[in-house]
Amino acid sequence: MNFTIKNQIEQFKQHNQNRGRLLVSCPDQPGIVSAISQFLFSFDANIIESSQYSTNPEGGIFFIRIEFECPLLKTKENEMVLKFTEIAAKFSMDWRLTPVYKVKKAAIFVSKELHCLLELLWEWQSGDLMSEIALVISNHEEAREVVEGLNIPFYYIPANKEIREQVEEQQLQLLNEYAIDVIVLARYMQILTPKFVEANAKKIINIHHSFLPAFIGARPYERAYERGVKIIGATAHFVTNDLDEGPIIEQDIARVDHRSDVDTLKKLGRTIERSVLARAVKWHIEDRIIVHQNKTIVF
């Protein structure tokens, strides 16, 4: 990591040393917001931003994301977690309390096509993707020069279906060594095993070069062309063991017509892919996503 980016991250940590985020989902019932507000007030915390949603006020699921400022948060963090555990038990909550100064560590997986990787690196260098890109893993050498040029560790690990388990053992060891919080598949053209996915549940974000649920799997642009589509798109989603069917985070589209051949679709699609993936990763590192069943709530 070069000095400029390291300095940006340190400034962000300093600026947000007292900022926290609380994400909650639970059965909807009276008193949830009041209990959370009273909890934060008891620690002298001030609510900066609050967003909430209910699938149904009568018997539905309630979701809320709160961002707050709390004096001396670092010294209060453990006590806050302990106290909120009691509230969570009362309301049957799934919850996550995250200090903002704990910047998330990301690992990027990539193959030959670099447009999504380059977009993420640009956002990272500009300070708009506030994470620590700890390493890049690839089954090809194409990305080495640009990655190492930014002083990011680059690991070339050839992969195919015959050696997939051995490859993933090495990858999992690296992810553990670097204490990775989020894995970004930036056009990493390998299918992950159930063991790998299970070890990183709700931590793997993939970009699929199609507007899911259409054209799941390989060669979506070719199949879109054969079908004569009038729009193409891209989908960022969490990875599950069901191929390209994990919870969708973000999507976008562009219009095409009968003049658009496969190469045109791919060129236009790359622009969509890189912006969709960048938004999804940003929202994840900003703790804006709650997964519910096979859907996401994005605040």
Side-chain angles (χ1 to χ4, degrees), residues 78-98:
N78 291 338
E79 184 183 0
M80 292 180 78
V81 169
L82 184 64
K83 292 291 185 182
F84 197 80
T85 301
E86 301 172 6
I87 298 172
K90 178 180 178 181
F91 290 94
S92 301
M93 293 176 174
D94 289 325
W95 60 285
R96 185 168 74 249
L97 195 157
T98 307

Side-chain angles (χ1 to χ4, degrees), residues 182-186 202-207 236-239 249 277 280-282 284-285 289:
V182 57
I183 301 163
V184 185
L185 306 184
K202 299 179 185 179
K203 288 172 56 177
I204 311 172
I205 298 176
N206 181 49
I207 184 66
H237 64 93
F238 286 112
V239 174
I249 303 170
L277 180 60
V281 174
K282 284 182 186 179
H284 181 72
I285 66 173
I289 305 171

Side-chain angles (χ1 to χ4, degrees), residues 10-71:
E10 290 304 319
Q11 287 182 1
F12 177 86
K13 290 179 178 180
Q14 182 64 28
H15 181 71
N16 290 280
Q17 60 182 324
N18 292 321
R19 180 71 59 97
R21 298 173 183 141
L22 178 63
L23 275 72
V24 170
S25 62
C26 63
D28 202 350
Q29 56 191 293
I32 300 170
V33 175
S34 175
I36 294 173
S37 299
Q38 287 295 321
F39 160 77
L40 292 172
F41 177 73
S42 70
F43 285 92
D44 297 320
N46 184 33
I47 295 174
I48 305 301
E49 179 184 333
S50 180
S51 301
Q52 63 190 62
Y53 166 71
S54 176
T55 60
N56 189 329
E58 297 182 6
I61 304 297
F62 178 79
F63 306 88
I64 189 167
R65 176 189 185 272
I66 291 177
E67 194 155 321
F68 61 89
E69 282 282 333
C70 180

